[in-house]
Amino acid sequence: MTRKDWLLALIALPDEVGYLPDVPRVHLQKCMFILGRRRPEIVGPDYYPFKAGSYGPYSPEVTLDCEALVAQGLTEVSRSGPGLRMHVHYRGTREGLVTVKALPVEESAARYLVQLRTWATELTFTDLVASICQEWPEQRENAIFGALVTPSAS
């Protein structure tokens, strides 16, 4: 599978009851980072390159592929809010669901993707970035959240 296939699977795989949520773009970025770090054996060597950005790990290629999936009719996008505060969400289309069901995604990998997406989208963006920075401290290198991405003292 290509990295764009993994992105489509993350967006368009329904959960165990058939629900297909809108996934915030910022959460997609972080989910794709986590997938690559936790499951490198399934995503392969040509996976997205991530850099420590102001808001945790970031890969411009994820954003480009999200837009390519929209152009292909496999996902749809919704945008709300003004300028830099714009919220961008993606959702699988019927064609995207048909396509993702035809992909060679092992059942265990599909379950992991749905669990990852559910976990991430239940967190606030700040909590998601803090969680990533605790597990991968190098991702706090350029983060602007300050104390929020620094592990609390026990």
Side-chain angles (χ1 to χ4, degrees):
M1 285 190 21
T2 68
R3 62 190 192 180
K4 192 161 67 169
D5 291 337
W6 286 110
L7 181 60
L8 176 62
L10 183 68
I11 297 169
L13 274 173
D15 68 12
E16 59 278 353
V17 296
Y19 178 67
L20 194 59
D22 288 341
V23 186
R25 178 173 60 199
V26 294
H27 285 71
L28 282 173
Q29 283 278 344
K30 305 322 174 212
C31 284
M32 295 306 288
F33 170 79
I34 293 168
L35 176 63
R37 287 295 182 97
R38 289 190 179 157
R39 296 296 197 311
E41 73 283 358
I42 66 170
V43 298
D46 295 326
Y47 196 66
Y48 295 104
F50 282 88
K51 293 185 178 179
S54 299
Y55 300 97
Y58 177 75
S59 175
E61 289 91 342
V62 171
T63 300
L64 292 172
D65 280 351
C66 281
E67 293 303 317
L69 291 170
V70 170
Q72 292 174 295
L74 301 175
T75 62
E76 56 191 19
V77 63
S78 62
R79 292 177 171 87
S80 62
L84 293 176
R85 294 199 174 267
M86 181 181 293
H87 297 280
V88 180
H89 292 79
Y90 294 91
R91 174 184 279 233
T93 62
R94 286 180 195 238
E95 182 64 29
L97 182 58
V98 168
T99 302
V100 83
K101 285 185 174 186
L103 291 174
V105 181
E106 290 184 19
E107 188 176 329
S108 62
R111 272 195 314 273
Y112 178 74
L113 285 171
V114 170
Q115 290 169 351
L116 176 60
R117 181 185 67 209
T118 301
W119 169 79
T121 57
E122 288 176 350
L123 294 175
T124 65
F125 180 65
T126 303
D127 288 343
L128 180 56
V129 172
S131 177
I132 289 169
C133 289
Q134 284 185 347
E135 189 165 345
W136 296 282
E138 74 279 3
Q139 293 302 316
R140 82 171 64 100
E141 180 181 322
N142 299 318
I144 64 172
F145 283 124
L148 295 176
V149 296
T150 303
S152 57
S154 310

